[in-house]
Structures are given as structure tokens and as C-alpha cells.
Amino acid sequence: MRKTLSLLFIVTILFCSACKDKIKPGNVQPERKEVSGVLITTVASSAVDVFYETSGTVEAKNISTISSRLMGTVMKIIVKEGDKVNRGDILLIIDDSDVAQKMTAAEAGYKEAQKAFEISKKNRSLADITYRRYAKLREEQVISQQEFDQIETQKKIADIEYERSQQAVERAKAMQEETRVYHGFTRIKAPYTGLITAKKIDEGTMAVPGMPLLVMEDTSQYKIRISVDERLYKNISIGMPVSVLVLSTNDMKQGRITRITPAVDPTTRTFNVEVLVKGIPLRSGLYAKVFIPEGKKKTILVPNKAIVQKGQLRGVYSVNDKGVISYSLIKTGKFYGERTEVLSGLKDDDRIIVEGVEKAVDGGITKQ
């Protein structure tokens, strides 16, 4: 029993000694990790453009369905889907045997007409000389009026034959040119520089006038059809510049409005607008966002590299007046190139780390 009481007395003395040396609350300073190699900047609101955002599908400005203008067997297809072609390049060849025969006949007819014209020309010249001689003889009363009338009639007939043969040459030449044109139809050529997007026929198939053979599109210009809210009807105009973001390439380019539909859809309260984009390696069918400028507003923008993603959360490393670093959650808005709009979580004169964020530690302190 005495041993138990002695042990209890010793424990009580030790406990009291420990309580005597206890540190009062608020006197302990946490040990913070020192952070260096970071760049701190002060946040300030700035004026930015406000955009109305809509979307649409990219289409080539010119899409052509290439067809045959005559009937014939497709002998050779030179291009395939995806090929880039230049204006005037031969795309496919149609059997030209029938047209070639007609062209040969037309050339022979033209040569024959030329020979007939030369003969009529000489006859006319001879008739004219004879007429002048007989006219002189008639003045001298050497020949009778009947003889002179016969010579005069022969001259008129020679003049008529000359005109007929001249017209025959023109008709033969036109026929020859026509057959040459038809022969050109057997060589299907690209109407402009572009891209072959579809092949509708195979070699050995009979092509007929109006039958689709190939589909190609002009790759120099693309258009995007978009729907715009009716409140912007008075704010946009033809030629107005807009920004276009193609999501598949994440590339922002400039376009311009080329057409505005004069009527508003009463169901959707929107109207259609066509945007033309040049000089971008696009493809028909791509999804794109279009940003139409509305005005300006003041907002806080931070560099994209200053934003730190932690799971589903977004935040920045802020620094207080004592140099203590803390991870501050923010709500982001639109992107402006290399900067992002902050809707909440920051205010003017806040200080954040914009470079060296990978070195920052929540709860750390910046090296002075």
C-alpha cells in the first residue's frame, strides 16, 4: 500500500513540473519553407474586349461537283481522294475515239472549203476582168446588148459563189473549232486550285452528261455559317473583323463577315451570318468558334502560366505583405491569348506569383 502511495506521489510531482514549463498559446511561430526564384506581380484590372461567342461548321467557299459534258467510257482516273490539284490539271480521261473521228472529218471539211473558196476567188477575178473588157466593147458598139448581159450575169453569179464559198469556209472553221472543244471535254480538268474530296466513278464506267464524276473544294477560302442573337443585329456589318478558333488545331485566326441574312428567325430569335476565313489549312466539316466584338469592360487578367490546376480546382499562389505564400482558389472566365480572365478569388492590388510557380509552396515564405 505504501509503495502505491509513493508511486502516485512521484507521478503527481512530475505532472506538475511539466505543466509549469508549458508555453502559452500564440507564442509559437510555425517554421516556413523559404521559396526563391519566383516573380511576384501586383494584380490590377484592365480594359478588355467583350466578345459574343457562337459556333458553326467550316465549309469551303467553293465546292464543285465535276461532271462530264459528253458520253463516253472513263479510260483513266488520274487523281484520288485527298489529292491537291492546280487549276487546269487533268483529273480524268474519257474515251475520245468518236470525237477524234468527228474532228478529223471537220478538219477535212475545212480544207475542202478553203480549196472551193480559192476556186471561187479565181472565177470571180476572171469574171470581173471579162466584165470590164465587154463593158468597153459595148461602149464601142462592137457587141450586142444580149452578149453584154450574159457577161454581166456571169459576173454576178461569180460574186455570189465567192460569198457562198467564203461563208462555207467560216462554217467549216466553226465546225472544226467545235469538234476541238468537244475533244477537250474528254480531258476533265480542274476548274481551280483545290482539293479532291470525293470520287464518284471508276475506270471503265460509262460517263454521261451531268453525271457526277468528282467533287473538289477550293482550299484558299473557307466560310463559317453562324447564328447570332437578334440583339446584335444593329452592331454588325459586312466586312467587320471577327476572331475564329478552330478547336481541332487550337489556332486563333482572323476572319470577316461577308453576308448577313436580312431576316430574323422568330423561333430562335437569331439571324444567320457568314464569315469568310483565308489562309488557314482547314477542312470542311471542322467545328469552329467565332467571337464577335461587342465592346469593352474592366476585368482582372492573369498569365495562363500563373494558374495552377489541382484536380478539379484552379488557383494561384498569392503572397501577402509578409511574404507568406498561400494557394488561393479562383473562378476563371474567358481566355485572352496568353492571359485568362479571373471572375472571382482575386482583387486589385493582390500579389501573385507569375513565374516559378513550380517552386511555390502553400504556406511557404518568399526570400527577401
Side-chain angles (χ1 to χ4, degrees), residues 348-361:
D348 287 346
D349 299 325
D350 283 350
R351 299 197 305 157
I352 63 171
I353 296 176
V354 295
E355 288 187 11
V357 292
E358 68 280 356
K359 301 176 183 178
V361 178

PDB file of all heavy atoms in Angstrom, residues 348-361:
ATOM      1  N   ASP A 348      -8.040  43.809 -57.032  1.00  0.00           N
ATOM      2  CA  ASP A 348      -6.947  44.731 -57.333  1.00  0.00           C
ATOM      3  C   ASP A 348      -5.981  44.832 -56.164  1.00  0.00           C
ATOM      4  O   ASP A 348      -6.393  44.802 -54.988  1.00  0.00           O
ATOM      5  CB  ASP A 348      -7.502  46.111 -57.677  1.00  0.00           C
ATOM      6  CG  ASP A 348      -8.157  46.138 -59.042  1.00  0.00           C
ATOM      7  OD1 ASP A 348      -7.955  45.182 -59.807  1.00  0.00           O
ATOM      8  OD2 ASP A 348      -8.895  47.100 -59.342  1.00  0.00           O
ATOM      9  N   ASP A 349      -4.702  44.970 -56.482  1.00  0.00           N
ATOM     10  CA  ASP A 349      -3.597  45.117 -55.527  1.00  0.00           C
ATOM     11  C   ASP A 349      -3.203  43.811 -54.849  1.00  0.00           C
ATOM     12  O   ASP A 349      -2.263  43.816 -54.024  1.00  0.00           O
ATOM     13  CB  ASP A 349      -3.901  46.179 -54.451  1.00  0.00           C
ATOM     14  CG  ASP A 349      -4.115  47.555 -55.061  1.00  0.00           C
ATOM     15  OD1 ASP A 349      -3.442  47.862 -56.068  1.00  0.00           O
ATOM     16  OD2 ASP A 349      -4.945  48.323 -54.539  1.00  0.00           O
ATOM     17  N   ASP A 350      -3.873  42.695 -55.149  1.00  0.00           N
ATOM     18  CA  ASP A 350      -3.377  41.400 -54.668  1.00  0.00           C
ATOM     19  C   ASP A 350      -2.075  41.081 -55.383  1.00  0.00           C
ATOM     20  O   ASP A 350      -1.870  41.467 -56.545  1.00  0.00           O
ATOM     21  CB  ASP A 350      -4.399  40.295 -54.934  1.00  0.00           C
ATOM     22  CG  ASP A 350      -5.559  40.319 -53.947  1.00  0.00           C
ATOM     23  OD1 ASP A 350      -5.455  41.070 -52.959  1.00  0.00           O
ATOM     24  OD2 ASP A 350      -6.549  39.600 -54.181  1.00  0.00           O
ATOM     25  N   ARG A 351      -1.199  40.362 -54.665  1.00  0.00           N
ATOM     26  CA  ARG A 351       0.069  39.976 -55.266  1.00  0.00           C
ATOM     27  C   ARG A 351       0.075  38.477 -55.506  1.00  0.00           C
ATOM     28  O   ARG A 351      -0.311  37.693 -54.629  1.00  0.00           O
ATOM     29  CB  ARG A 351       1.233  40.365 -54.362  1.00  0.00           C
ATOM     30  CG  ARG A 351       1.334  41.859 -54.118  1.00  0.00           C
ATOM     31  CD  ARG A 351       2.713  42.234 -53.566  1.00  0.00           C
ATOM     32  NE  ARG A 351       3.036  41.476 -52.354  1.00  0.00           N
ATOM     33  CZ  ARG A 351       4.278  41.254 -51.921  1.00  0.00           C
ATOM     34  NH1 ARG A 351       5.309  41.738 -52.599  1.00  0.00           N
ATOM     35  NH2 ARG A 351       4.495  40.560 -50.807  1.00  0.00           N
ATOM     36  N   ILE A 352       0.508  38.079 -56.708  1.00  0.00           N
ATOM     37  CA  ILE A 352       0.537  36.658 -57.059  1.00  0.00           C
ATOM     38  C   ILE A 352       1.877  36.314 -57.699  1.00  0.00           C
ATOM     39  O   ILE A 352       2.584  37.189 -58.188  1.00  0.00           O
ATOM     40  CB  ILE A 352      -0.609  36.279 -58.022  1.00  0.00           C
ATOM     41  CG1 ILE A 352      -0.456  37.024 -59.354  1.00  0.00           C
ATOM     42  CG2 ILE A 352      -1.957  36.529 -57.401  1.00  0.00           C
ATOM     43  CD1 ILE A 352      -1.406  36.552 -60.427  1.00  0.00           C
ATOM     44  N   ILE A 353       2.188  35.030 -57.678  1.00  0.00           N
ATOM     45  CA  ILE A 353       3.395  34.541 -58.331  1.00  0.00           C
ATOM     46  C   ILE A 353       3.064  34.225 -59.785  1.00  0.00           C
ATOM     47  O   ILE A 353       2.126  33.479 -60.070  1.00  0.00           O
ATOM     48  CB  ILE A 353       3.926  33.283 -57.617  1.00  0.00           C
ATOM     49  CG1 ILE A 353       4.357  33.636 -56.183  1.00  0.00           C
ATOM     50  CG2 ILE A 353       5.098  32.677 -58.382  1.00  0.00           C
ATOM     51  CD1 ILE A 353       4.804  32.444 -55.367  1.00  0.00           C
ATOM     52  N   VAL A 354       3.821  34.810 -60.727  1.00  0.00           N
ATOM     53  CA  VAL A 354       3.555  34.614 -62.148  1.00  0.00           C
ATOM     54  C   VAL A 354       4.654  33.819 -62.840  1.00  0.00           C
ATOM     55  O   VAL A 354       4.443  33.309 -63.940  1.00  0.00           O
ATOM     56  CB  VAL A 354       3.367  35.974 -62.854  1.00  0.00           C
ATOM     57  CG1 VAL A 354       2.121  36.676 -62.338  1.00  0.00           C
ATOM     58  CG2 VAL A 354       4.596  36.865 -62.664  1.00  0.00           C
ATOM     59  N   GLU A 355       5.808  33.715 -62.209  1.00  0.00           N
ATOM     60  CA  GLU A 355       6.890  32.901 -62.766  1.00  0.00           C
ATOM     61  C   GLU A 355       7.521  32.088 -61.646  1.00  0.00           C
ATOM     62  O   GLU A 355       7.656  32.565 -60.513  1.00  0.00           O
ATOM     63  CB  GLU A 355       7.957  33.776 -63.440  1.00  0.00           C
ATOM     64  CG  GLU A 355       7.504  34.390 -64.754  1.00  0.00           C
ATOM     65  CD  GLU A 355       8.638  35.120 -65.474  1.00  0.00           C
ATOM     66  OE1 GLU A 355       9.797  34.947 -65.040  1.00  0.00           O
ATOM     67  OE2 GLU A 355       8.346  35.848 -66.436  1.00  0.00           O
ATOM     68  N   GLY A 356       7.890  30.856 -61.976  1.00  0.00           N
ATOM     69  CA  GLY A 356       8.461  29.969 -60.966  1.00  0.00           C
ATOM     70  C   GLY A 356       7.407  29.353 -60.069  1.00  0.00           C
ATOM     71  O   GLY A 356       7.708  28.981 -58.926  1.00  0.00           O
ATOM     72  N   VAL A 357       6.158  29.219 -60.572  1.00  0.00           N
ATOM     73  CA  VAL A 357       5.074  28.672 -59.742  1.00  0.00           C
ATOM     74  C   VAL A 357       5.373  27.233 -59.319  1.00  0.00           C
ATOM     75  O   VAL A 357       4.858  26.765 -58.300  1.00  0.00           O
ATOM     76  CB  VAL A 357       3.730  28.737 -60.494  1.00  0.00           C
ATOM     77  CG1 VAL A 357       3.285  30.173 -60.661  1.00  0.00           C
ATOM     78  CG2 VAL A 357       3.828  28.047 -61.853  1.00  0.00           C
ATOM     79  N   GLU A 358       6.212  26.532 -60.087  1.00  0.00           N
ATOM     80  CA  GLU A 358       6.540  25.154 -59.719  1.00  0.00           C
ATOM     81  C   GLU A 358       7.386  25.104 -58.446  1.00  0.00           C
ATOM     82  O   GLU A 358       7.469  24.055 -57.781  1.00  0.00           O
ATOM     83  CB  GLU A 358       7.270  24.452 -60.875  1.00  0.00           C
ATOM     84  CG  GLU A 358       8.665  24.967 -61.172  1.00  0.00           C
ATOM     85  CD  GLU A 358       8.684  26.253 -61.986  1.00  0.00           C
ATOM     86  OE1 GLU A 358       7.592  26.709 -62.390  1.00  0.00           O
ATOM     87  OE2 GLU A 358       9.784  26.794 -62.203  1.00  0.00           O
ATOM     88  N   LYS A 359       7.998  26.239 -58.055  1.00  0.00           N
ATOM     89  CA  LYS A 359       8.804  26.283 -56.836  1.00  0.00           C
ATOM     90  C   LYS A 359       7.983  26.721 -55.627  1.00  0.00           C
ATOM     91  O   LYS A 359       8.444  26.593 -54.495  1.00  0.00           O
ATOM     92  CB  LYS A 359       9.980  27.250 -57.028  1.00  0.00           C
ATOM     93  CG  LYS A 359      10.905  26.885 -58.187  1.00  0.00           C
ATOM     94  CD  LYS A 359      11.974  27.936 -58.369  1.00  0.00           C
ATOM     95  CE  LYS A 359      12.863  27.619 -59.569  1.00  0.00           C
ATOM     96  NZ  LYS A 359      13.901  28.669 -59.787  1.00  0.00           N
ATOM     97  N   ALA A 360       6.799  27.290 -55.884  1.00  0.00           N
ATOM     98  CA  ALA A 360       5.981  27.819 -54.793  1.00  0.00           C
ATOM     99  C   ALA A 360       5.411  26.686 -53.952  1.00  0.00           C
ATOM    100  O   ALA A 360       5.099  25.604 -54.443  1.00  0.00           O
ATOM    101  CB  ALA A 360       4.860  28.686 -55.349  1.00  0.00           C
ATOM    102  N   VAL A 361       5.275  26.961 -52.637  1.00  0.00           N
ATOM    103  CA  VAL A 361       4.733  26.000 -51.677  1.00  0.00           C
ATOM    104  C   VAL A 361       3.682  26.708 -50.843  1.00  0.00           C
ATOM    105  O   VAL A 361       3.918  27.817 -50.334  1.00  0.00           O
ATOM    106  CB  VAL A 361       5.841  25.439 -50.770  1.00  0.00           C
ATOM    107  CG1 VAL A 361       5.246  24.481 -49.740  1.00  0.00           C
ATOM    108  CG2 VAL A 361       6.903  24.736 -51.578  1.00  0.00           C
TER     109      VAL A 361
END
